[in-house]
């Protein structure tokens, strides 16, 4: 099955202070995804992934594992529309946003 998918993911656990955002950006770029990632004040990391269905699914699977030093407890995912991509300042690629 192919097609485009856009999802917002909130990753909870030991995910701040371990390079999770930089790792997410690198992994998303390897998968050819658009979107963004950012820390949240509640200690979680939020990310928006947009691209081919298979690539988004692979990225979500990778996020369940996370980078070395992280410990992912939960991954909440919800589908989004194209408008969610507007939060990026560049409107292209994958970027790290400021904390919310």
């Amino acid at each position: 099955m192919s097609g485009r998918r856009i999802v917002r993911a909130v990753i909870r656990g030991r995910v701040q202070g371990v390079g999770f955002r930089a790792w997410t950006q690198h992994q998303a770029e390897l998968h050819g995804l658009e979107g963004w990632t950012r820390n949240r004040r509640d200690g979680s990391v939020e990310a928006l992934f947009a691209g081919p269905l298979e690539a988004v699914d692979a990225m979500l699977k990778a996020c369940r594992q996370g980078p070395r030093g992280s410990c992912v407890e939960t991954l909440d995912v919800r589908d989004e529309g194209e408008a969610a991509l507007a939060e990026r300042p560049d409107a292209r690629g994958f970027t790290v946003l400021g904390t919310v």
Side-chain angles (χ1 to χ4, degrees), residues 13-100:
R14 187 176 55 230
V15 295
Q16 289 190 13
V18 295
F20 208 101
R21 289 175 303 156
W23 174 87
T24 301
Q25 182 180 31
H26 179 70
Q27 291 297 311
E29 289 170 350
L30 288 176
H31 285 92
L33 298 175
E34 295 178 78
W36 49 261
T37 186
R38 63 185 172 199
N39 282 342
R40 292 173 27 153
R41 287 187 185 92
D42 66 2
S44 65
V45 170
E46 182 179 19
L48 186 86
F49 303 116
L53 178 66
E54 297 85 359
V56 171
D57 289 346
M59 186 68 210
L60 292 172
K61 183 177 178 182
C63 283
R64 285 182 176 86
Q65 181 74 32
R68 177 180 289 239
S70 69
C71 180
V72 176
E73 294 174 3
T74 63
L75 175 68
D76 298 322
V77 178
R78 74 173 191 241
D79 289 314
E80 289 283 351
E82 291 286 337
L85 286 169
E87 294 182 51
R88 294 177 299 176
D90 289 357
R92 63 178 181 194
F94 197 93
T95 192
V96 176
L97 302 177
T99 301
V100 294

